[in-house]
Amino acid sequence: MPGLQILRNSWLRGARYSVRKKLMWVVMTTTLVALLIASGAMVIYELRTYHEARVSDLVSQADLIGRSSAAALMFDDPKTAQANLALLKVAPRISAAAIYTAKGARFASYVRADLADVKFPDLPQADGYHVEGDQITVFQQIVDHNEVVGTVYLRARYELIDRLFSYVTILGAVMALSLFGAMLITAWLPELVSRPILEITEVARQVMARRDFSLRVRRTTVDEIGYLVDAFNDMLAEIGRRAQALEESNRALQQEMAERRGAEKALLAADQRKDEFLATLAHELRNPLAPLRTALELLQTSGTDANTLQSAREVMERQLRRLVRLVNDLLDISRITTGKMTLKKEPIQLGDVVKSAVEAARPLIETREHRLDVVLPPAPVTLFADFTRLAQVFLNLLNNAAKFTDNCGAIKLTAEVKGGDLVVTVADTGIGISAKMLPVIFDMFAQADRSLERAQAGLGVGLTLVKHLTELHGGTVVARSDGVGRGSQFIVRLPVIVRPEDRAAAPAVPGAASAVPARRILMADDNEDFVDSLAMLLRAGGHEVMVVHDGLAAVAAAAEFKPDFAFLDIGLPKMNGYELARCLRGAPATAHTVLVAVTGWGQQEDIRRAREAGFAIHLTKPVEVDAIAQILQNPPPA
Amino acid sequence: MTQAGITTRRSSVARALAVLGLAWLGAWPWDGSAQDDAAALERRVKAAYIFKFASFVEWPEPAFPQPSTAVSIAVIGDDELAAELSSVTAGRAVEGRPLTIRKTRSLEGVADAHMVFVGRAEIARLPQLAKFARAKPVLILTDAPNALAQGSMINFMLVEQRVKFEIHLEEAERHGLKLSSRLLAVAQSVRRGSP
């Protein structure tokens, strides 16, 4: 048993033998054991059968001889007995035979022809057989009529050993053939069993080596190995899916981290720009104050000559305009960044817009002694746009060009229609833009050169406004420069519409204040400086103006004053603008008064509420005198 | 083998040799006192043979009315043989039948016998016996030369100092007797009927 244990442990379970070898051993061993058992059983059975057949054969032969020789014995006829025995020559296995009388004397005998000296037993023995080596002897009594008349003696070749030898030879041959057949089968078995397994092994090895989970094992059978192949393939697919998912999430994570880092950097940059912007803003806001104060002191000083007073007023006006522009820009930027900017789009003429922008930019251009060329398309171009905002775009570009070009430079504004687009190019011979700055030139608070900027005035929001306003008009703006010191080009593209009816309906050039008839105007605003100054301007225009600073006062004043126009702030103390409007609209004295809302809020919702309250017009602060003049000249139908 | 050789009396030496040969058979107990008498020995052999013939012959049914009917053997012209036969068959049976031996001189004495031995002394009466026993199931035995021609069925003879016999099968069959082939096999000669 220990031997078997060792065999089991070290051999069949041995990892160092391939499946193929194990299979071969199993088949060979099984075959050999089966053959040995079958052969052994067969040999034993055959030999036993042979032995029994041989004995019974000899006994019956002895019996036959005895019967046929009984009479010869009884009547003392050895010749007949001899003749009977002589018949045995047809049975060549019998080598010798004899008949003994009842007294025990040899009566007749037979020896096979090829044998010479044969020794017969002296006396007969009892019935039975006796095997000695390769000889078998049989004694058989002859009985006739219940009387023993003699004994037959037979000696024959007992070929058990020969038989055994031939059987072993034959079985050996059969065994060899069977083992050969088994070997052939084991050579063929791998096709059935180990090859699919080897394929799996090979693919598994490749998968580990190449990390390629897309590999698959070919399924060739539908047995357990087939299931194994399927399961293996499914497993590979699952692993592949998981590995891919892991890689993807890794990549996504990395990307997200990169984005976050970028965003952080951008935030830091934005923060820094905001700080810089605040510094700039303070600077810009403070700059006009000193000349303003100086001019004011001049005005307050009595005895100042008329020329000096005139110069002081000009200084004040200029500085004030600069302040207003700054604040307007800030408000615009604020509106744009909070999404509150709305456009009043209408059909307008390109020429008018350009003219307005050029006029506004002319003071700076002239101060800098630049040469300005304006080239417009030969035919009039109609745009569907907000006149003021579009003019602002071109003005900013012109101011920008004037600012960033050294004195006595050249600025050129070219407008042309290309395809369905209007292309307006503002080119200068100025300091240009470095390649690094080009992509961020339109970003808020971006400044090409800090040190230079100090010399120039500006908040750095002009180009940002240009970009946003252009985009609000459905257009684009790009900056080009061949480099620092080589000038810049700003190219604005806008969609064009050219419709005859639009051109016919184009409004007349605004601002002809001289033709405005005298009106009765009520102004309600708690910003006393703003409303008083505005009232002064309107009075100067020949209008009759009443100013109040809260809602209730406005109601009382209106009842008595019966104004043609009422400019009402929405955020009034005591009674807000909406209530006031309803009140005035309801009062008989003011039922037909044109109500104008003046407010810092320009959203659609605000405009709608104003209309509901009874306002005919909605103005957004800061209010230009021109806007008021236009309303006074062309009041909307009641 | 000459007729004269058979018919003439043998020398005592020859007889002694025959006795020696008979001793080989061992068919009966050996008696030392008979050694010097070859004739007595020959007689004994013949008696034994006659007894054994009974078991090789098949009689027709009517010959034995009952299973216990004895086999009847009549001896004419050889009283010594008759005596010998009586001693041989004493207490023995053939297929369950006892044997009865009787000496007779008349033909009437053989009327119901199954076997009749005619000695040389009365051989002259053989034809008469044959005529008398015609068509009867009787086995006629003799020990005289040329006896077969006169109606004997088994005739003893000496061949090379051995007691042998010849068989007239046709004659036996004519009497309704069937002789075993084994008996025929050991006979010196068998005369068969010519068809």
Side-chain angles (χ1 to χ4, degrees):
Chain A
M1 270 344 225
L4 192 65
Q5 201 63 39
I6 288 165
L7 195 79
R8 226 185 264 152
N9 287 341
S10 69
W11 186 74
L12 265 183
R13 288 187 183 169
R16 60 209 173 91
Y17 288 100
S18 68
V19 172
R20 184 196 171 116
K21 228 168 212 165
K22 285 176 190 169
L23 274 174
M24 197 182 84
W25 274 113
V26 166
V27 171
M28 299 292 278
T29 312
T30 312
T31 312
L32 194 66
V33 167
L35 281 172
L36 279 176
I37 291 171
S39 307
M42 224 160 85
V43 166
I44 289 167
Y45 174 77
E46 276 298 330
L47 292 182
R48 197 183 150 85
T49 309
Y50 171 77
H51 171 79
E52 282 171 358
R54 198 82 198 90
V55 169
S56 96
D57 194 28
L58 277 179
V59 167
S60 60
Q61 233 158 355
D63 203 39
L64 263 176
I65 290 168
R67 272 175 203 284
S68 62
S69 304
L73 272 170
M74 284 160 80
F75 298 107
D76 186 26
D77 185 4
K79 268 190 189 166
T80 304
Q82 197 75 37
N84 284 344
L85 288 181
L87 292 174
L88 286 174
K89 71 173 176 236
V90 301
R93 271 183 303 192
I94 294 172
S95 51
I99 295 173
Y100 292 85
T101 62
K103 282 282 177 190
R106 202 163 75 204
F107 181 63
S109 63
Y110 160 81
V111 174
R112 208 172 63 205
D114 57 324
L115 297 174
D117 198 22
V118 175
K119 194 172 177 296
F120 288 98
D122 294 333
L123 284 172
Q125 292 166 15
D127 278 10
Y129 66 90
H130 180 68
V131 175
E132 197 178 312
D134 63 342
Q135 299 287 318
I136 181 168
T137 56
V138 167
F139 286 97
Q140 177 81 22
Q141 282 191 331
I142 305 169
V143 179
D144 194 275
H145 294 96
N146 302 322
E147 218 173 306
V148 175
V149 295
T151 303
V152 174
Y153 165 78
L154 284 180
R155 185 155 67 173
R157 234 181 112 69
Y158 187 63
E159 293 154 322
L160 201 68
I161 303 297
D162 292 347
R163 288 240 153 189
L164 185 66
F165 185 74
S166 4
Y167 271 123
V168 167
T169 308
I170 289 169
L171 288 173
V174 167
M175 221 175 276
L177 269 174
S178 305
L179 287 179
F180 180 67
M183 271 177 78
L184 284 184
I185 287 170
T186 47
W188 171 70
L189 261 182
E191 291 295 313
L192 283 179
V193 180
S194 45
R195 204 177 69 174
I197 293 175
L198 285 178
E199 276 177 15
I200 295 173
T201 314
E202 175 59 21
V203 169
R205 200 184 58 72
Q206 282 183 14
V207 166
M208 292 314 291
R210 284 154 51 183
R211 294 266 154 209
D212 181 359
F213 297 109
S214 67
L215 290 173
R216 292 290 177 273
V217 183
R218 198 165 49 86
R219 191 184 197 269
T220 50
T221 54
V222 288
D223 54 7
E224 292 87 337
I225 294 174
Y227 297 141
L228 180 64
V229 168
D230 284 350
F232 184 75
N233 283 342
D234 290 351
M235 225 157 67
L236 274 185
E238 183 61 28
I239 293 172
R241 271 198 293 279
R242 287 185 186 193
Q244 198 181 352
L246 212 62
E247 273 172 26
E248 269 169 15
S249 78
N250 251 352
R251 211 177 297 131
L253 222 57
Q254 278 173 356
Q255 197 176 340
E256 197 177 320
M257 275 174 69
E259 276 170 8
R260 274 173 190 233
R261 270 198 291 270
E264 205 176 332
K265 212 186 275 177
L267 265 177
L268 280 173
D271 198 42
Q272 193 185 351
R273 283 210 302 272
K274 199 166 263 178
D275 290 345
E276 285 165 1
F277 170 75
L278 281 176
T280 310
L281 180 61
H283 183 77
E284 287 294 319
L285 285 173
R286 203 189 55 203
N287 272 349
L289 294 181
L292 272 175
R293 181 175 292 164
T294 309
L296 196 62
E297 277 171 5
L298 273 174
L299 287 178
Q300 284 169 343
T301 308
S302 54
T304 310
D305 64 73
N307 280 346
T308 308
L309 286 175
Q310 177 62 30
S311 171
R313 275 200 295 274
E314 283 173 4
V315 165
M316 286 180 77
E317 194 190 346
R318 203 162 50 243
Q319 296 303 327
L320 203 61
R321 197 182 297 129
R322 191 168 158 188
L323 271 178
V324 167
R325 202 175 64 236
L326 267 174
V327 173
N328 279 347
D329 280 357
L330 279 175
L331 285 170
D332 284 347
I333 285 295
S334 167
R335 286 198 193 97
I336 284 169
T337 51
T338 54
K340 285 178 180 168
M341 172 66 80
T342 53
L343 296 179
K344 281 183 280 183
K345 282 187 177 182
E346 54 189 343
I348 54 170
Q349 292 301 311
L350 172 68
D352 298 339
V353 180
V354 171
K355 192 175 159 195
S356 166
V358 167
E359 283 309 312
R362 193 172 298 280
L364 181 61
I365 291 171
E366 283 174 356
T367 308
R368 292 277 192 149
E369 298 176 44
H370 294 315
R371 188 164 53 82
L372 174 65
D373 290 326
V374 176
V375 180
L376 293 178
V381 176
T382 306
L383 304 164
F384 188 69
D386 185 318
F387 185 93
T388 313
R389 297 303 182 191
L390 202 53
Q392 199 178 350
V393 167
F394 298 141
L395 172 61
N396 279 356
L397 287 176
L398 288 170
N399 274 342
N400 203 59
K403 246 195 277 181
F404 294 103
T405 301
D406 291 340
N407 287 1
C408 304
I411 299 169
K412 188 175 184 182
L413 188 151
T414 314
E416 49 192 338
V417 176
K418 282 182 181 171
D421 287 347
L422 169 68
V423 181
V424 179
T425 309
V426 177
D428 63 48
T429 56
I431 59 171
I433 308 160
S434 69
K436 203 178 83 184
M437 278 304 287
L438 263 180
V440 296
I441 195 77
F442 292 107
D443 287 359
M444 206 182 292
F445 316 135
Q447 298 267 311
D449 191 330
R450 289 286 151 205
S451 58
L452 200 63
E453 164 59 19
R454 289 287 171 263
Q456 320 295 329
L459 283 172
V461 295
L463 287 179
T464 307
L465 270 177
V466 165
K467 184 166 188 271
H468 285 291
L469 289 174
T470 308
E471 284 171 358
L472 281 173
H473 279 93
T476 60
V477 58
V478 291
R480 275 189 199 150
S481 174
D482 291 335
V484 175
R486 297 181 141 191
S488 319
Q489 288 182 347
F490 288 88
I491 301 147
V492 177
R493 273 174 188 274
L494 289 168
V496 178
I497 52 160
V498 184
R499 286 188 300 188
E501 61 270 26
D502 289 342
R503 274 156 65 187
V509 178
S514 58
V516 177
R519 304 288 193 185
R520 297 167 67 83
I521 301 164
L522 175 67
M523 305 197 87
D525 202 314
D526 58 341
N527 187 338
E528 293 179 16
D529 285 350
F530 164 72
V531 75
D532 287 351
S533 62
L534 203 57
M536 275 203 294
L537 262 177
L538 290 172
R539 280 187 195 115
H543 303 289
E544 197 173 335
V545 181
M546 176 171 273
V547 174
V548 291
H549 300 303
D550 64 68
L552 290 179
V555 173
E560 215 163 296
F561 185 56
K562 294 188 179 67
D564 300 319
F565 292 86
F567 290 84
L568 309 175
D569 185 18
I570 295 298
L572 277 177
K574 296 182 181 169
M575 179 186 273
N576 72 33
Y578 298 130
E579 289 174 52
L580 179 56
R582 285 193 198 95
C583 190
L584 294 179
R585 188 60 74 220
T590 51
H592 299 291
T593 302
V594 175
L595 299 180
V596 179
V598 180
T599 172
W601 305 291
Q603 290 297 92
Q604 287 301 127
E605 178 62 17
D606 303 323
I607 293 167
R608 188 183 59 76
R609 283 185 68 188
R611 278 196 198 288
E612 279 174 9
F615 285 105
I617 297 166
H618 187 277
L619 285 179
T620 307
K621 284 180 180 177
V623 178
E624 300 278 344
V625 177
D626 276 359
I628 294 173
Q630 203 177 341
I631 290 167
L632 296 176
Q633 192 179 17
N634 301 306
Chain B
M1 191 195 312
T2 59
Q3 285 290 328
I6 298 168
T7 52
T8 51
R9 284 218 167 240
R10 301 295 163 193
S11 68
S12 59
V13 177
R15 281 170 197 266
L17 278 170
V19 168
L20 269 173
L22 281 169
W24 284 51
L25 279 168
W28 68 93
W30 181 255
D31 192 352
S33 63
Q35 205 168 13
D36 51 347
D37 193 351
L41 187 58
E42 188 184 326
R43 195 160 50 246
R44 260 189 210 173
V45 171
K46 284 176 182 168
Y49 278 17
I50 289 167
F51 164 67
K52 286 173 185 171
F53 284 151
S55 53
F56 288 92
V57 178
E58 196 178 317
W59 280 267
E61 202 104 329
F64 294 98
Q66 287 168 8
S68 58
T69 307
V71 179
S72 162
I73 304 175
V75 179
I76 303 172
D78 197 336
D79 290 350
E80 286 172 318
L81 184 73
E84 191 64 49
L85 200 53
S86 292
S87 81
V88 164
T89 60
R92 300 176 84 168
V94 175
E95 296 182 3
R97 302 178 192 279
L99 294 103
T100 57
I101 315 295
R102 60 184 131 128
K103 296 177 280 185
T104 182
R105 289 208 164 272
S106 63
L107 286 175
E108 285 73 29
V110 302
D112 57 349
H114 295 100
M115 298 168 76
V116 177
F117 180 82
V118 183
R120 260 174 241 152
E122 296 285 347
I123 197 69
R125 295 178 64 186
L126 181 59
Q128 192 188 347
L129 175 68
K131 194 179 171 187
F132 173 76
R134 179 181 300 273
K136 280 187 182 168
V138 178
L139 183 71
I140 299 169
L141 306 108
T142 54
D143 63 347
N146 213 22
L148 290 188
Q150 298 168 46
S152 172
M153 295 160 201
I154 298 177
N155 185 39
F156 288 110
M157 53 209 274
L158 274 179
V159 178
E160 295 167 0
Q161 285 80 48
R162 283 171 183 270
V163 177
K164 290 282 179 183
F165 50 87
E166 53 184 1
I167 294 174
H168 196 318
L169 187 59
E170 190 187 5
E171 188 64 35
E173 284 170 349
R174 211 178 283 148
H175 287 259
L177 301 173
K178 287 179 184 169
L179 302 190
S180 165
S181 61
R182 296 198 293 149
L183 185 65
L184 303 180
V186 295
Q188 189 67 19
S189 67
V190 177
R191 193 176 294 182
R192 297 169 194 275
S194 45

